[in-house]
Amino acid sequence: MTAHISALDLEEAGAVLAAESARFAAFGWMRGTSGNLSVVLTRDPLRLAVTASGHDKGELKPADVVLVDGKGAAVHGGRPSAEAELHARVAALTGAGAVVHVHTVASVAMGHRHPGGIVFKDVEMLKGVGQPAHDVEVTLPVIANSQDMKVLGDRLEAAREPRMPAVVVAGHGLYVWGDTPRQARHHTEVVEWLLELELTRR
């Protein structure tokens, strides 16, 4: 495979991503074959396991992942998600160990309503992304969509709010990250909860 990553390493990462994908699919956040997840396997050189393209995310098997490099290009396995390049960009930019991309109604609706960013304040759930529950405003950035992952990555880098481990891509969905797949999952659930709250308030 590579000098640092064995077939067993990739299979173990695939098992983790399959379990996480099944959880998100059960919430209705990865309908059809939409969405993708990744986990960093090595940092130098940057290598990620990314869910393979075209698979039902509620039915993934440990083998349904692709090893990609720091540009999102396949190193081993089948065809990665078209957005693998953005996963690699987020991992390099933020130091994240895992990235989640889901297509939720709340993220698309709120991104449409607030193209300049979605502000959260005085909500206890902000603690779930490491922020105070009161007296601090935290903005979830919203960026315009693009089919060019280099362009999209540049927009994400320019808009990123270091206190918020997430960004909304307008008309598309939500990208969230964390140090581990478990933390990325928790961040995703918290940010989606915040979005759903703001959506119901209006």
Side-chain angles (χ1 to χ4, degrees):
M1 177 114 24
T2 73
H4 304 291
I5 301 166
S6 68
L8 180 59
D9 292 332
L10 190 58
E11 183 177 358
E12 289 176 348
V16 170
L17 294 181
E20 295 297 317
S21 293
R23 182 184 180 94
F24 292 130
F27 293 155
W29 298 353
M30 303 180 89
R31 294 180 186 273
T33 63
S34 69
N36 34 75
L37 282 71
S38 66
V39 60
V40 173
L41 297 181
T42 64
R43 189 66 62 178
D44 185 20
L46 183 60
R47 295 288 185 267
L48 302 88
V50 181
T51 50
S53 179
H55 290 264
D56 186 319
K57 300 308 186 297
E59 300 176 350
L60 288 184
K61 301 176 180 63
D64 294 331
V65 292
V66 181
L67 182 67
V68 303
D69 63 16
K71 298 295 185 182
V75 173
H76 179 83
R79 184 164 62 98
S81 162
E83 294 157 339
E85 181 179 347
L86 189 57
H87 282 250
R89 180 78 174 267
V90 170
L93 176 66
T94 68
V99 181
V100 170
H101 173 46
V102 289
H103 293 225
T104 69
V105 172
S107 64
V108 175
M110 290 300 295
H112 178 72
R113 293 183 186 183
H114 300 277
I118 304 153
V119 178
F120 303 112
K121 181 181 179 181
D122 295 336
V123 183
E124 193 75 13
M125 282 289 272
L126 281 169
K127 291 180 179 179
V129 290
Q131 298 304 314
H134 301 286
D135 301 324
V136 174
E137 288 189 350
V138 182
T139 300
L140 173 61
V142 177
I143 61 174
N145 194 15
S146 174
Q147 299 307 303
D148 186 324
M149 292 302 109
K150 172 67 165 62
V151 170
L152 199 56
D154 288 346
R155 290 173 181 170
L156 186 150
E157 182 169 358
R160 184 170 75 96
E161 160 61 87
R163 297 178 300 167
M164 176 61 72
V167 65
V168 168
V169 179
H172 188 171
L174 184 64
Y175 277 88
V176 193
W177 50 89
D179 292 340
T180 65
R182 182 182 178 87
Q183 187 184 62
R185 178 216 305 166
H186 291 168
H187 287 170
T188 303
E189 292 178 357
V190 167
V191 172
E192 174 63 14
W193 187 95
L194 291 166
L195 286 167
E196 290 178 12
L197 175 66
E198 291 303 308
L199 187 62
T200 58
R201 281 179 169 177
R202 289 160 176 77

